[in-house]
Amino acid sequence: MSIQQENRFQAIISHAKEYGFVFQSSEIYDGLSAVYDYGPYGSELKKNIRDYWWKSMTQMQDNIVGIDAAIFMHPTTWKASGHVDNFSDPMIDNKDSQKRYRVDHLIEAHAAKLEDAGKKTEADALLEKMDQLLAKEDFVALKQLIEENKISCAVSSTCNWTDIRQFNLMFSTQLGSVAEDADTIYLRPETAQGIFVNFLNVQKTARMKIPFGIAQTGKAFRNEIVARQFIFRMREFEQMEMQFFCRPGTELEWYEYWKETRMNWHLSLGLPKEKYRFHDHVKLAHYANAAVDIEFEFPIGFKEVEGIHSRTNFDLKSHQEHSGKKLTYFDTEINKHYVPYVVETSIGLDRMFLLILCNAYDEETINKEDGTTDSRVVLRIPAKLAPNKLAILPLLKKDGLPEIAKELLNECRGNFKCYYEEKDTIGKRYRRQDAIGTPFCVTIDHQTKEDQMVTIRYRDSMKQERIPLNKVKEIVMNEVI
Ligand code: GAP
């Protein structure tokens, strides 16, 4: 990452905090690593992204229905899905102290010491190398990196290390009140399995005919190993997933269909095409026969935001074997029973949030009419997703202007989210709305009392024009609904 991009990323993170989008979790206790809370504007933006996805994936489709499955699931679910055996991260033990470390934690602690000693470049290089080796799962080279850098155990102070081994990424907890008697269960690491185990319930109760899809949004949990990039990689995050069940042999056609449909969804938000690309998986998971990532150019580089996976019939077959319950479908068109094949679309809600924020953030220089310049920070969030759609601003706090403004507020607030503000100069109020991405501001002034006209100001162009007061609701609704 160049210094310019690094600075931009840091500026976005600071802005997100300063303007109530994202806070570190439990900040007053110095935070919890890779866990974040969403503030007043952040929670609105997040909800709007979720709603936009939900509407386009259920309401606008003929053959997709939604569910809301529990986070806790029967532990055998994760045996069947392969997560118990295959979902893991590297650990290393010190032979003298017997203390076990996560490899990334050990190296990060060493990098922090280097940084404290004024060796930031060395620390950054070490972390970059670590990330590369972790991504390649090259554990031999990772151990060498630890040894070459003479990274020692905090307890024994020696560099006497075991080989690196994997540890599971799932968080576990106990079901029941007495820990000794209780079963270990997992916090789901993906929402998809809640869909698979409900396949027949949904198919039968909603009378779905193949091909059809089941959509779900919800929390997922992973004890992530590399979790340093703000909300890009979190330990508690939210997914928006859809499993599309189809006839065996048709899955690759549906895969192509969903690949294109999902890319179009991103572009439908007016996001720049040139910042998107597909990245085909070369090394496929054992259950997949095709997989692609939709990548976006974040300030931290091109990164995955969504995955489209042709998962064959692996999951349903495996749940069938582990549960002993039949998960077949009778296809009346071809008179055959079969276990359906599945194409999955899976997008991280928090990652989409970060994408919107990174794309929206702009530091702009304004050339004023008197020849001087000014600057502003503006979030060019797509109007459909913006936390507030309309700011209603009486020019003064007197002369009947607030009354007119509040009448407009009452007319609009049931249809879309409004913000009402009387304090400060109008210029300051516009800047605050720019900084939280409000697409429209309307100012009520003394002239409004005479002619029932108001000034509407557009966030992106800063253009202002007079429009009839009774047209405000319609103009805003056309852009935001
Ligand atoms: N059911 C398939 C599945 O979970 P994945 O590629 O592991 O596939 C899908 O995750 C999406 O979930 C990713 O493209 C990403 O947007 C999001 N995601 C995964 N891990 C994440 C994390 N630790 N923090 C934030 N988002 C994450």
Side-chain angles (χ1 to χ4, degrees):
M1 197 182 352
S2 70
I3 293 184
Q4 206 184 0
Q5 283 168 319
E6 163 97 45
N7 289 345
R8 181 173 158 77
F9 197 48
Q10 288 311 322
I12 292 166
I13 295 171
S14 305
H15 189 87
K17 180 175 175 202
E18 191 182 339
Y19 285 91
F21 282 85
V22 182
F23 308 126
Q24 206 180 4
S25 158
S26 344
E27 196 189 273
I28 59 166
Y29 295 105
D30 295 333
L32 190 62
S33 169
V35 186
Y36 291 89
D37 298 339
Y38 288 85
Y41 301 121
S43 54
E44 288 290 339
L45 173 57
K46 194 174 169 198
K47 180 186 166 298
N48 293 344
I49 299 172
R50 191 192 296 110
D51 288 350
Y52 189 74
W53 182 89
W54 186 258
K55 187 173 173 189
S56 70
M57 294 299 276
T58 61
Q59 196 174 322
M60 301 306 290
Q61 304 286 336
D62 296 331
N63 54 356
I64 302 183
V65 288
I67 62 162
D68 183 6
I71 286 170
F72 293 144
M73 299 180 71
H74 191 284
T76 311
T77 308
W78 307 110
K79 189 83 194 142
S81 68
H83 284 84
V84 170
D85 296 323
N86 300 320
F87 200 55
S88 46
D89 262 351
M91 303 276 295
I92 195 165
D93 293 10
N94 184 270
K95 288 184 193 165
D96 299 318
S97 67
Q98 313 294 321
K99 188 166 162 55
R100 177 167 296 171
Y101 293 88
R102 273 178 55 173
V103 170
D104 62 325
H105 286 179
L106 184 69
I107 299 176
E108 277 171 0
H110 186 73
K113 273 193 222 155
L114 287 175
E115 203 170 329
D116 287 348
K119 298 179 181 168
K120 181 160 174 13
T121 320
E122 231 174 281
D124 287 348
L126 177 65
L127 292 174
E128 201 175 324
K129 184 85 192 156
M130 176 188 81
D131 285 351
Q132 281 168 6
L133 296 175
L134 280 170
K136 284 198 281 183
E137 297 188 12
D138 188 342
F139 299 147
V140 175
L142 261 174
K143 186 179 174 190
Q144 266 170 15
L145 187 72
I146 291 171
E147 288 169 345
E148 278 162 14
N149 281 275
K150 300 193 172 48
I151 301 178
S152 58
C153 166
V155 179
S156 68
S157 305
T158 67
C159 300
N160 195 9
W161 297 109
T162 61
D163 285 342
I164 293 173
R165 280 164 300 181
Q166 297 277 46
F167 96 113
N168 202 286
L169 286 182
M170 284 193 293
F171 287 101
S172 62
T173 186
Q174 251 74 44
L175 193 68
S177 52
V178 185
E180 297 94 285
D181 299 333
D183 279 329
T184 297
I185 57 164
Y186 299 102
L187 274 68
R188 65 180 178 198
E190 62 172 11
T191 56
Q193 298 304 325
I195 295 179
F196 288 124
V197 299
N198 277 300
F199 162 69
L200 269 193
N201 282 339
V202 174
Q203 190 269 318
K204 292 205 164 119
T205 55
R207 300 169 60 236
M208 304 304 287
K209 271 194 162 26
I210 270 180
F212 74 90
I214 305 177
Q216 167 165 233
T217 70
K219 289 271 181 159
F221 304 83
R222 297 182 189 177
N223 204 354
E224 289 285 3
I225 178 158
V226 183
R228 269 194 315 276
Q229 288 158 331
F230 190 41
I231 56 170
F232 182 80
R233 188 164 282 114
M234 303 158 88
R235 299 208 161 97
E236 175 180 340
F237 58 101
E238 200 165 330
Q239 288 186 315
M240 307 189 286
E241 298 200 298
M242 192 277 298
Q243 313 293 321
F244 195 76
F245 300 90
C246 61
R247 196 181 282 169
T250 63
E251 73 276 9
L252 291 180
E253 275 166 51
W254 286 113
Y255 169 76
E256 291 301 332
Y257 172 85
W258 283 110
K259 194 174 153 181
E260 195 190 325
T261 304
R262 289 305 304 151
M263 181 60 102
N264 287 341
W265 179 85
H266 288 263
L267 302 180
S268 72
L269 283 164
L271 297 163
K273 200 172 180 177
E274 65 279 8
K275 287 201 165 191
Y276 276 98
R277 71 181 186 195
F278 285 117
H279 178 253
D280 288 309
H281 288 206
V282 184
K283 207 175 121 198
L284 290 174
H286 57 286
Y287 53 79
N289 63 2
V292 68
D293 293 336
I294 294 178
E295 292 188 342
F296 184 80
E297 190 175 14
F298 291 88
I300 47 176
F302 266 103
K303 301 273 179 199
E304 170 188 348
V305 62
E306 172 158 10
I308 291 103
H309 314 122
S310 175
R311 294 179 74 127
T312 67
N313 61 359
F314 169 84
D315 301 87
L316 286 182
K317 244 170 78 185
S318 185
H319 285 303
Q320 189 169 259
E321 279 155 25
H322 282 80
S323 66
K325 308 267 163 47
K326 253 187 160 183
L327 295 177
T328 53
Y329 172 83
F330 181 65
D331 192 329
T332 48
E333 274 180 35
I334 53 169
N335 235 0
K336 245 186 172 169
H337 285 279
Y338 54 77
V339 178
Y341 270 47
V342 172
V343 175
E344 162 184 78
T345 72
S346 175
I347 176 168
L349 174 51
D350 312 85
R351 211 169 275 186
M352 188 63 201
F353 181 105
L354 183 61
L355 183 161
I356 295 291
L357 212 56
C358 290
N359 190 64
Y361 183 85
D362 195 10
E363 292 171 10
E364 194 181 41
T365 305
I366 304 156
N367 296 315
K368 296 207 295 192
E369 277 170 11
D370 63 5
T372 60
T373 59
D374 198 358
S375 67
R376 67 166 182 161
V377 171
V378 53
L379 291 186
R380 301 182 194 278
I381 300 174
K384 286 181 176 15
L385 304 183
N388 292 326
K389 312 300 186 189
L390 172 68
I392 300 173
L393 315 170
L395 191 63
L396 294 177
K397 227 184 334 182
K398 55 181 187 183
D399 302 336
L401 304 187
E403 285 74 10
I404 301 174
K406 282 188 178 154
E407 221 172 281
L408 179 62
L409 175 67
N410 287 333
E411 186 196 343
C412 294
R413 69 188 336 172
N415 299 283
F416 48 80
K417 187 107 172 47
C418 302
Y419 186 93
Y420 178 85
E421 195 172 39
E422 309 176 326
K423 275 198 290 275
D424 285 333
T425 63
I426 202 73
K428 274 192 186 159
R429 282 186 267 170
Y430 282 158
R431 287 291 180 275
R432 269 203 295 275
Q433 294 307 315
D434 287 344
I436 56 173
T438 309
F440 304 99
C441 292
V442 154
T443 304
I444 286 93
D445 54 27
H446 291 94
Q447 189 64 29
T448 310
K449 291 205 292 188
E450 311 295 319
D451 59 8
Q452 299 298 301
M453 302 284 276
V454 292
T455 302
I456 189 163
R457 174 191 182 265
Y458 303 97
R459 176 196 67 200
D460 293 346
S461 61
M462 294 194 296
K463 199 179 120 199
Q464 300 186 17
E465 59 184 344
R466 296 293 281 182
I467 57 161
L469 177 60
N470 63 10
K471 287 270 174 236
V472 172
K473 183 174 120 188
E474 187 189 324
I475 289 174
V476 176
M477 273 182 82
N478 281 344
E479 294 297 320
V480 303
I481 305 292

